[in-house]
Amino acid sequence: MSRTLTRRSALMLSVSAVLATAGCADAVPRDSQGTLERAEGGRLFVGAAENPPWTEIADDGGVGGLEADIIADYAASIDATVEWTTGGMNELARTMKNNELDLVIGGLTADTPWSDKISPTRPYQVVRAEDGSKQKMVIGVRPGENALQVSLERFLAKRTGEL
């Protein structure tokens, strides 16, 4: 009987320790710079590089295209207003590395050469390139912004029916 009591006591102590420490853990995923918190109900800073049909830049600076529509829907889901910055991908990647943009779009693929300056989402769509190869489409997120990236990836997964 004492052996059973000892096992039960050890189990209860373990469960109590887990429950006690669960409330002490930091929020996961981390939002190191508070980007998601700032964007929710606020502004989402997005860079767009011309690359039809993914992104199209109008003469008046307006941004359209398939990925612009995705960003507009995502922003609406977090009650954010999109503030667009347009330019070449080199310039936008540099601007993102300087923490001036939250997201970058422009027909990026999983093998993007800018992965040292941006954090690509998991692929949200696979398309066939002109040479017949499969291209995995991604959106660029500011490196270290895990909460924003997880939020966007969940949105993309729901949009494609994965979730």
Side-chain angles (χ1 to χ4, degrees):
M1 173 121 173
S2 66
R3 183 179 265 177
T4 304
L5 228 59
T6 305
R7 286 184 185 161
R8 246 188 227 152
S9 297
L11 179 62
M12 293 300 282
L13 185 59
S14 296
V15 169
S16 295
V18 168
L19 291 174
T21 58
C24 300
D26 285 342
V28 176
R30 303 228 31 196
D31 193 7
S32 63
Q33 296 175 15
T35 303
L36 180 60
E37 186 177 317
R38 175 198 30 85
E40 291 176 323
R43 292 186 297 174
L44 185 64
F45 297 94
V46 183
E50 177 92 21
N51 189 0
W54 307 103
T55 50
E56 299 174 18
I57 313 299
D59 291 339
D60 67 358
V63 180
L66 300 172
E67 288 183 339
D69 292 343
I70 291 171
I71 295 300
D73 291 346
Y74 174 66
S77 78
I78 62 170
D79 193 31
T81 302
V82 178
E83 188 166 313
W84 295 103
T85 298
T86 59
M89 192 54 76
N90 281 331
E91 175 189 349
L92 294 173
R94 192 171 36 256
T95 303
M96 176 171 273
K97 190 172 181 182
N98 292 335
N99 298 324
E100 297 171 33
L101 294 173
D102 303 324
L103 304 173
V104 174
I105 60 172
L108 295 170
T109 58
D111 61 351
T112 178
W114 296 283
S115 60
D116 63 328
K117 295 178 178 76
I118 65 170
S119 178
T121 61
R122 59 189 294 276
Y124 68 87
Q125 184 176 355
V126 178
V127 298
R128 192 160 303 277
E130 289 179 15
D131 66 1
S133 65
K134 292 184 178 177
Q135 301 267 318
K136 296 176 181 178
M137 306 308 295
V138 299
I139 294 173
V141 181
R142 184 185 325 173
E145 290 305 316
N146 299 331
L148 177 66
Q149 185 154 352
V150 168
S151 172
L152 177 59
E153 288 180 350
R154 281 186 186 141
F155 170 82
L156 293 169
K158 287 178 185 175
R159 183 180 177 100
T160 60
E162 285 183 64
L163 291 179

